[in-house]
């Protein structure tokens, strides 16, 4: 596994986009102020991404106000893997708590599966769709 993204799941997407693009001056690789998803070049092989919080909650069919996870989905750490299905099966076998089984996310251009660590942080394993 290779950490490919740190994805911040934000409430005020437009303000956060302007902060990272205009204040921190990170070059925009994908998205814009209104796209609800953007990627920034942070001079690393790992990228910083912003995602409107509700978009991820809708995709994963979760409730952002879940009382058992008060900080649910404020960020996601994304790992690129060669084989999402095999890696997901191994993680489940090793005791990882799966949120969403592997599936193609054509709008994102990836095949991905989602998990939570013991503190409830969202982890994604993914590989590009061919």
């Amino acid at each position: 596994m290779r950490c490919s993204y740190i994805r911040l799941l934000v409430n005020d997407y437009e303000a956060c986009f302007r902060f990272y693009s205009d204040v921190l001056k990170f070059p925009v690789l994908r998205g814009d102020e209104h796209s609800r998803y953007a990627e920034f070049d942070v001079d690393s092989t790992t990228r910083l991404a912003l995602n409107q919080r509700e978009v991820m909650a809708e995709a994963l069919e979760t409730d952002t106000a879940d009382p058992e996870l008060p900080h649910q989905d404020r960020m996601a750490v994304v790992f690129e893997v060669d084989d999402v299905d095999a890696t997901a099966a191994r993680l489940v076998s090793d005791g990882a708590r799966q949120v969403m089984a592997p599936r193609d996310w054509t709008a994102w251009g990836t095949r991905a599966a989602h998990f939570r660590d013991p503190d409830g942080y969202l982890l994604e394993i993914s590989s590009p769709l061919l």
Side-chain angles (χ1 to χ4, degrees), residues 8 35 41 43 71 74 83 87:
L8 304 178
S35 61
D41 182 348
D43 198 22
H71 301 290
R74 297 296 299 176
D83 184 331
T87 303

Side-chain angles (χ1 to χ4, degrees), residues 2-130:
R2 176 179 70 81
C3 184
S4 55
Y5 290 88
I6 303 297
R7 184 180 298 148
L8 304 178
L9 307 177
V10 299
N11 289 321
D12 190 341
Y13 173 84
E14 291 164 352
C16 288
F17 180 91
R18 288 190 304 272
F19 175 78
Y20 287 100
S21 64
D22 299 345
V23 176
L24 294 184
K25 308 279 189 222
F26 290 146
V28 178
L29 298 171
R30 180 177 178 189
D32 60 38
E33 186 174 341
H34 304 290
S35 61
R36 302 190 316 164
Y37 180 83
E39 296 173 8
F40 298 90
D41 182 348
V42 291
D43 198 22
S44 169
T45 57
T46 300
R47 292 184 181 173
L48 175 67
L50 298 179
N51 207 166
Q52 180 74 38
R53 194 171 182 208
E54 290 82 15
V55 171
M56 188 62 107
E58 288 169 12
L60 298 181
E61 302 171 358
T62 59
D63 179 4
T64 57
D66 186 337
E68 293 191 23
L69 294 170
H71 301 290
Q72 179 189 15
D73 300 340
R74 297 296 299 176
M75 69 172 292
V77 181
V78 182
F79 296 96
E80 187 173 319
V81 299
D82 291 328
D83 184 331
V84 172
D85 295 83
T87 303
R90 180 184 60 78
L91 292 173
V92 168
S93 162
D94 289 346
R97 182 170 46 144
Q98 190 170 49
V99 175
M100 184 71 68
R103 64 183 268 197
D104 290 347
W105 300 87
T106 53
W108 300 352
T110 63
R111 180 161 184 78
H114 296 84
F115 297 85
R116 292 207 186 278
D117 78 0
D119 265 8
Y121 285 103
L122 184 64
L123 306 176
E124 176 180 301
I125 59 169
S126 68
S127 63
L129 287 174
L130 302 176

